[in-house]
Amino acid sequence: MEVPVSRAVPRSRKALALVAGAAALAAPLALAAPANGAEAGSGAYTVTPLRFTVEAGGRSCAVDADLYRPAGADAAHPAPAVLATNGFGGSKSDGSTAAIGKAFAERGYVGLVYSGLGFGKSGCLISLDAPEADGRAAARLVDFLAGSRAADDGTRVDFVTRDGAGDPRVGMIGGSYGGAVQLAAASVDPRIDALVPLITWNDLAYSLAPNAADRATPGVFKWQWANGFYLIGEGQPLLSPSLDPSRINSLGCLHFVTDACDTVRLLNSGRYPAAETEKMLTYARSVSPVSYLDRITAPTLIVQGQSDSLFNLNEARATYDRLRERGVDTRMIWQSWGHSGGQKPGELDLGDPEGSYVGQRVLAWFDRHLRKNAAADTGPAFAWYREGQSGYGTADRVPVLSQKLYLSGDGKLVDNRTKVARGSRQYSNWLVPTSHSESSLAGMIGLPDPRPYDTPGTYLGWTSAPLAAPVDLVGAPRATLRVVSPATERVQDSGDAADKLVLFAKLYDVAPDGTKTLVNRLVAPVRVPDVTRPFTVELPGIVHRYETGHRLEFVVAASDTAYSGNRGIKPVTVVSAPESTGTLSLPLVDGGRVG
């Protein structure tokens, strides 16, 4: 999706309404790119439209780009470059992408902003940021910045700083689809010197069909988000009729590579036989950073959204951890906005990066790694947006799990195993969803999204005592569960993963008046690998303050309107006893404690 560039609140789910009609994937934005070829900002930069023909993914692809040249940049006074492309469904001309070229050119960088493969006027099929397609296409643009290749009209550049022959000083920045492409590009081109991926994925298999208990077992289809993007992608030839008709792959798959279409079809089928499912998981991961992070050496500043039900904080954490394990200079910021939720005052505005904490960190990152300013402060290893408090919290590491709570048989969430009451409780699913977290479809057509709810009898909840003092939760809670489901046990080894039990774990904030808030509308979908064994659930990372007098409620629900559900009716019983019960572990900061 798009990266906000103005002080207006981004409406990313409404932007997804491109499915309903539009070539305008972007919501209205106050900041637009200057006209091509025009002098901008009192001679601050000029913009030149360019076209490149590149070999990528076994095809010859046209790439539509704009070159932003800052005033004063020439062979005697070269400048480092910033390369960027659009979010899914956008192009080089949408407000947020053009704003990157503008913002960095105004600050003395050479900008090269392009429409990603399959979008705008760039050719070829949508490859989901595959390294050998989208990554190689970006590498060919790096060749242009190095002066070693020309655009199709013969244009060459000699005003980009170089680290050696054929090696330009270049960084990348962009959001969502324009974030993952940076990692894909850096995995095939070590000349890229710095990355700033915003609100992007680590593993598309987890993003589109998450299993918070076992990533080796097929997850639970996130049908609203996935089908929305699929329709946007398939609609590109209609939205841009000038596109090369040779890009049409087949009548059954207009604009994606075949493997991507096959993946969406399988997920929508509701059938997950082992061989087909393994092929799907292998493909989804092959176009995801999880499969190629070990080839990346470029310093990386990861920015992810706390309000993001498409690519949650766990995706950023997985990328962050792996890069740091390998010794790559990596920092991570959790801002408020993502693909869902709204932008908060003081957050990143690409039209005025100096005016926000995240913007200042981005400028410092490029100052250090592109301008080689050793005095530039690139900030702490980890930072997070503090909802309802001033500024960002910072730390030298992501908080660890610091308190364990226990699921009591009487529905209480207690802080000591000895307080667990013996008992069993049961819920059952219906053939239709009975719980609601969010609706991306509501945002698409401009309707309000109903408050989250759970229907009695179709979920179980465990609630803490009222808090004696505020507690701040920063990170991904973890639950250990054991359930009893004879109906599932009879069919779970059928060879079709769709016969396994599906459930949804989540955390609410319960106010003293009983009002319940599902934090950032986030849930953890689970397809239980084996109901005869205990399993561990990693909930989505959250940042939330539970105020004095409020209570935490941990819920396990049978369904969710945003996801596919169980095949058939599968009643579930949860048994609790002091010597054997489920647990919930929380990453609390500043000495906070529940109970």
Side-chain angles (χ1 to χ4, degrees):
M1 300 283 21
E2 301 292 326
V3 180
V5 300
S6 73
R7 293 177 180 84
V9 174
R11 302 176 67 185
S12 53
R13 277 186 286 175
K14 186 167 184 178
L16 193 56
L18 306 183
V19 263
L25 226 161
L29 297 168
L31 181 62
N36 285 338
E39 192 89 5
S42 300
Y45 61 89
T46 57
V47 186
T48 304
L50 297 171
R51 175 186 169 94
F52 300 87
T53 300
V54 304
E55 296 297 320
R59 296 173 65 91
S60 179
C61 308
V63 175
D64 186 34
D66 284 336
L67 176 67
Y68 291 73
R69 179 176 181 172
D74 56 29
H77 306 89
V82 172
L83 179 65
T85 189
N86 50 276
F88 196 92
S91 73
K92 70 170 189 178
S93 301
D94 61 51
S96 58
T97 310
I100 293 172
K102 176 181 186 296
F104 285 96
E106 286 177 338
R107 288 157 181 82
Y109 291 91
V110 175
L112 185 60
V113 174
Y114 68 100
S115 297
L117 299 184
F119 296 104
K121 294 182 179 179
S122 287
C124 284
L125 299 169
I126 296 172
S127 303
L128 299 180
D129 282 341
E132 292 303 318
D134 303 87
R136 293 292 179 190
R140 300 292 73 80
L141 300 185
V142 174
D143 291 341
F144 169 75
L145 293 170
S148 55
R149 72 169 292 161
D152 289 357
D153 66 359
T155 299
R156 289 182 180 271
V157 299
D158 61 358
F159 47 81
V160 174
T161 305
R162 296 180 192 172
D163 291 319
D167 184 3
R169 187 88 53 78
V170 56
M172 294 187 73
I173 184 172
S176 195
Y177 200 76
V181 72
Q182 300 172 47
L183 298 163
S187 76
V188 299
D189 193 337
R191 295 174 298 174
I192 297 172
D193 297 283
L195 308 176
V196 185
L198 296 90
I199 60 171
T200 197
W201 68 87
N202 169 266
D203 180 358
L204 276 180
Y206 172 80
S207 308
L208 302 181
N211 190 346
D214 178 14
R215 294 200 183 188
T217 299
V220 186
F221 184 34
K222 193 184 293 181
W223 69 271
Q224 291 186 4
W225 277 118
N227 283 321
F229 282 116
Y230 178 71
L231 292 174
I232 292 168
E234 287 291 80
Q236 291 300 301
L238 301 176
L239 298 174
S240 300
S242 63
L243 296 180
D244 182 352
S246 69
R247 293 163 64 189
I248 296 178
N249 189 35
S250 71
L251 290 178
C253 186
L254 292 176
H255 205 55
F256 286 90
V257 295
T258 301
D259 282 341
C261 290
D262 289 346
T263 295
V264 172
R265 290 194 193 103
L266 179 62
L267 289 169
N268 273 305
S269 75
R271 296 181 61 256
Y272 308 117
E276 292 179 46
T277 301
E278 181 60 30
K279 179 182 176 183
M280 174 196 73
L281 293 173
T282 299
Y283 168 70
R285 288 173 180 145
S286 74
V287 295
S288 299
V290 66
S291 71
Y292 54 73
L293 284 173
D294 287 355
R295 304 201 298 269
I296 294 173
T297 58
T300 304
L301 175 63
I302 300 167
V303 182
Q304 203 79 352
Q306 294 165 195
S307 299
D308 200 326
S309 58
L310 178 61
F311 305 137
N312 66 36
L313 296 176
N314 296 9
E315 304 246 32
R317 175 72 189 273
T319 298
Y320 171 84
D321 284 348
R322 184 59 192 145
L323 289 176
R324 287 181 70 88
E325 284 170 5
R326 296 182 47 250
V328 177
D329 184 1
T330 310
R331 315 291 166 95
M332 180 168 64
I333 303 172
W334 290 353
Q335 62 183 14
S336 177
W337 61 265
H339 290 82
S340 42
Q343 190 175 14
K344 302 297 174 65
E347 289 205 284
L348 177 63
D349 172 357
L350 285 176
D352 176 25
E354 287 89 353
S356 69
Y357 173 79
V358 176
Q360 292 167 15
R361 292 282 304 271
V362 170
L363 293 175
W365 194 252
F366 283 158
D367 199 22
R368 168 70 69 85
H369 297 293
L370 300 185
R371 288 189 168 136
K372 302 301 181 183
N373 177 4
D377 182 3
T378 55
F382 176 57
W384 65 95
Y385 179 82
R386 301 195 300 177
E387 185 77 37
Q389 304 173 69
S390 60
Y392 278 72
T394 62
D396 59 5
R397 64 175 185 172
V398 180
V400 298
L401 299 171
S402 57
Q403 185 180 7
K404 182 179 288 186
L405 302 174
Y406 300 86
L407 280 54
S408 180
D410 55 6
K412 294 180 180 178
L413 197 57
V414 297
D415 62 351
N416 191 299
R417 187 181 291 276
T418 61
K419 298 178 182 179
V420 173
R422 294 182 184 277
S424 64
R425 304 164 71 212
Q426 186 181 76
Y427 73 83
S428 184
N429 64 296
W430 297 358
L431 293 179
V432 295
T434 54
S435 291
H436 175 75
S437 59
E438 66 155 353
S439 174
S440 57
L441 295 177
M444 290 179 196
I445 57 179
L447 295 177
D449 195 352
R451 287 184 61 84
Y453 63 80
D454 299 290
T455 302
T458 66
Y459 76 98
L460 294 176
W462 291 265
T463 309
S464 74
L467 296 175
V471 297
D472 290 303
L473 195 160
V474 179
R478 186 171 297 169
T480 58
L481 298 170
R482 182 160 191 168
V483 299
V484 178
S485 181
T488 304
E489 192 172 344
R490 287 192 292 270
V491 299
Q492 67 176 7
D493 296 322
S494 68
D496 186 340
D499 287 322
K500 296 181 182 292
L501 178 68
V502 169
L503 56 83
F504 299 83
K506 49 195 170 182
L507 272 182
Y508 283 94
D509 181 333
V510 184
D513 65 1
T515 301
K516 296 169 63 171
T517 300
L518 178 59
V519 179
N520 288 329
R521 294 180 177 262
L522 295 172
V523 301
V526 173
R527 193 179 298 276
V528 180
D530 182 352
V531 295
T532 67
R533 299 176 180 274
F535 56 95
T536 299
V537 179
E538 183 181 56
L539 278 74
I542 62 174
V543 175
H544 184 71
R545 166 163 284 198
Y546 287 84
E547 299 289 354
T548 301
H550 287 230
R551 293 175 292 155
L552 284 77
E553 183 181 27
F554 174 66
V555 165
V556 174
S559 63
D560 191 281
T561 56
Y563 296 82
S564 298
N566 282 289
R567 176 189 286 179
I569 302 298
K570 295 182 170 71
V572 171
T573 300
V574 177
V575 179
S576 297
E579 65 276 10
S580 177
T581 190
T583 62
L584 174 68
S585 298
L586 302 173
L588 303 177
V589 298
D590 299 329
R593 186 168 180 82
V594 178

